[in-house]
Amino acid sequence: SSEGNIIGVRSTNGAPFRLYTGVDAPRIVTECSKRPPPSLGCNSIVHGIQFDFDSAMIKPESSELLDTLFSNLKSATTSGITIIGHTSSEGSDKYNEQLSRRRAEAVVTALVTRGINTVRISALGRGEKEPIARNSTDAGRSLNRRVEIKCK
């Protein structure tokens, strides 16, 4: 504006838009949140466990993440842990369900090898049935390829 203010529309959540009239140099907040990041363990969604393409073979670079997951699950006071594998929609439903199950079983094996009692842990495969993002984009498919940790 002629007074030096910014005039436009803005939204805090994508809609509805509201008229905004403000100073040309608003205060920009750059401090990071003081809230600690969520820890890996019970009720986590884990995207960082990497597998070879079309395989249930866990890549070596996933070792540190599995170590952290083991540490947190070892100290959990739960009676049971279920590792649930998920895939994107590429491939057939039946194949994806089998692949997700094999990948969940591989994570179980990795955690048992580290010291989780086999009586406390099990594996499930959900395939592409429970997406958390659209499968129409690479980013969405990547988010859908995940492992969830559920505890009783």
Side-chain angles (χ1 to χ4, degrees):
S1 74
S2 59
E3 291 85 32
N5 290 330
I6 296 173
I7 299 173
V9 292
R10 74 179 216 182
S11 171
T12 56
N13 64 357
F17 290 98
R18 298 172 199 240
L19 183 61
Y20 173 78
T21 304
V23 295
D24 65 351
R27 179 178 171 266
I28 298 173
V29 178
T30 59
E31 301 90 29
C32 293
S33 170
K34 301 296 183 217
R35 185 172 37 167
S39 65
L40 289 176
C42 291
N43 303 314
S44 293
I45 295 175
V46 184
H47 288 98
I49 301 173
Q50 297 183 25
F51 298 89
D52 286 333
F53 177 74
D54 198 26
S55 165
M57 180 69 66
I58 298 174
K59 291 185 174 186
E61 54 264 32
S62 301
S63 186
E64 186 177 329
L65 177 63
L66 289 166
D67 290 343
T68 301
L69 184 58
F70 162 72
S71 239
N72 293 337
L73 289 174
K74 177 181 69 169
S75 61
T77 58
T78 61
S79 61
I81 302 164
T82 305
I83 307 298
I84 306 166
H86 297 271
T87 66
S88 66
S89 64
E90 296 171 306
S92 72
D93 289 350
K94 183 177 180 180
Y95 181 80
N96 284 335
E97 190 169 331
Q98 292 169 350
L99 178 61
S100 66
R101 169 80 184 195
R102 290 191 344 258
R103 287 180 171 179
E105 288 170 347
V107 173
V108 166
T109 299
L111 293 171
V112 166
T113 300
R114 285 166 170 77
I116 295 285
N117 187 329
T118 57
V119 175
R120 289 184 64 205
I121 193 165
S122 62
L124 286 175
R126 295 280 193 244
E128 61 188 74
K129 294 177 187 165
E130 300 172 2
I132 59 173
R134 291 181 295 172
N135 278 298
S136 59
T137 66
D138 287 340
R141 286 188 294 275
S142 180
L143 287 171
N144 288 331
R145 294 181 201 112
R146 67 195 187 279
V147 172
E148 293 185 17
I149 316 299
K150 299 290 181 186
C151 299
K152 302 178 207 169

